[in-house]
Amino acid sequence: MSKKKTNQTDTEQESPEVTQPQESQAAQVKAAPSHEELLEQEKDRYLRLFAEFENYKRRTSKERIELFKTASQDVMVAMLPILDDFDRALKELEKSDMAVFEGVTLINNKLNETLKQKGLSASETKAGEEFNADIHEAITQIPAPSEDLKGKIIDVIEKGYTLGDKIIRYPKVVIGQ
């Protein structure tokens, strides 16, 4: 009997079926990522997720700041014709009673300062400046009174305004041809 047992174990060891499962197990162990590789993968995933979250926070914060800057844009745009009327009234009052003119000028200054604190500012466009289509709106062209005024602003019809860094109304100008 003992010979049979020995013969059986010899045949089992020599059989190719027995060695293949052992080799495939070794291949599986080699193919499976190690703990260090798994840790590195998780660290990389964590860092990417963290960076993505930081970018999200930065983007939403920037959007919120932009919203606060321009939240009052509709109100400011609605006020622009009133400011234009105020300027025209001041020009007419300047010709009449000085006491009334000074009182209205004080009110105008106070209104302009309040709007300036909220981010509204008038553009400083003057006659004689070079016309720039990016920041001016040409209403019409007239023959230039002199050669040096060709392509330049002859008259400003309506003031332009900016709210923060954004132009909410372009200055309307007449340019020389």
Side-chain angles (χ1 to χ4, degrees), residues 2 18 32 55 63 71 121 141 152 156:
S2 65
V18 174
N55 289 338
E63 288 171 356
S121 62
Q141 292 182 350
K152 294 190 178 178
V156 179

Short mmCIF file of all heavy atoms in Angstrom, two decimals, residues 2 18 32 55 63 71 121 141 152 156:
data_model
loop_
_atom_site.label_atom_id
_atom_site.label_comp_id
_atom_site.label_asym_id
_atom_site.label_seq_id
_atom_site.Cartn_x
_atom_site.Cartn_y
_atom_site.Cartn_z
N SER A 2 1.85 1.16 0.66
CA SER A 2 2.67 2.34 0.72
C SER A 2 3.22 2.69 -0.65
O SER A 2 3.44 3.84 -0.96
CB SER A 2 3.78 2.17 1.74
OG SER A 2 4.63 1.16 1.34
N VAL A 18 -1.91 20.11 -12.36
CA VAL A 18 -1.61 20.61 -11.02
C VAL A 18 -0.74 21.86 -11.11
O VAL A 18 -0.93 22.82 -10.39
CB VAL A 18 -0.93 19.52 -10.16
CG1 VAL A 18 -0.49 20.07 -8.83
CG2 VAL A 18 -1.85 18.34 -10.00
N ALA A 32 -2.60 41.56 -9.55
CA ALA A 32 -3.34 42.37 -8.56
C ALA A 32 -2.44 43.49 -8.07
O ALA A 32 -1.26 43.28 -7.79
CB ALA A 32 -3.78 41.49 -7.40
N ASN A 55 -11.29 74.53 -7.52
CA ASN A 55 -11.65 75.27 -8.73
C ASN A 55 -13.12 75.67 -8.70
O ASN A 55 -13.48 76.78 -9.09
CB ASN A 55 -11.38 74.44 -9.98
CG ASN A 55 -9.90 74.30 -10.25
OD1 ASN A 55 -9.09 75.10 -9.80
ND2 ASN A 55 -9.54 73.27 -10.98
N GLU A 63 -18.04 84.30 -9.61
CA GLU A 63 -19.38 84.57 -10.14
C GLU A 63 -20.20 85.39 -9.16
O GLU A 63 -20.94 86.28 -9.55
CB GLU A 63 -20.10 83.26 -10.46
CG GLU A 63 -19.56 82.54 -11.67
CD GLU A 63 -20.14 81.15 -11.85
OE1 GLU A 63 -20.91 80.69 -10.99
OE2 GLU A 63 -19.79 80.52 -12.87
N ALA A 71 -25.43 93.58 -9.97
CA ALA A 71 -26.80 93.28 -9.53
C ALA A 71 -27.72 94.47 -9.73
O ALA A 71 -28.90 94.32 -10.05
CB ALA A 71 -26.80 92.85 -8.07
N SER A 121 -20.12 105.16 -13.17
CA SER A 121 -19.29 106.32 -13.49
C SER A 121 -19.51 106.71 -14.94
O SER A 121 -19.72 105.87 -15.81
CB SER A 121 -17.81 106.02 -13.24
OG SER A 121 -17.37 104.97 -14.05
N GLN A 141 -21.87 111.17 -39.08
CA GLN A 141 -20.61 111.78 -39.50
C GLN A 141 -20.93 113.09 -40.21
O GLN A 141 -21.88 113.16 -40.98
CB GLN A 141 -19.85 110.86 -40.47
CG GLN A 141 -19.34 109.60 -39.84
CD GLN A 141 -18.56 108.75 -40.85
OE1 GLN A 141 -18.57 109.01 -42.04
NE2 GLN A 141 -17.88 107.75 -40.34
N LYS A 152 -12.02 112.16 -35.83
CA LYS A 152 -12.07 112.45 -34.40
C LYS A 152 -13.49 112.84 -33.99
O LYS A 152 -14.33 113.11 -34.84
CB LYS A 152 -11.09 113.57 -34.04
CG LYS A 152 -9.66 113.14 -34.25
CD LYS A 152 -8.69 114.12 -33.70
CE LYS A 152 -7.27 113.59 -33.90
NZ LYS A 152 -6.30 114.52 -33.43
N VAL A 156 -20.24 115.31 -28.44
CA VAL A 156 -20.78 114.20 -27.64
C VAL A 156 -22.26 114.48 -27.44
O VAL A 156 -22.63 115.46 -26.78
CB VAL A 156 -20.05 114.08 -26.29
CG1 VAL A 156 -20.64 112.94 -25.46
CG2 VAL A 156 -18.56 113.87 -26.49
#
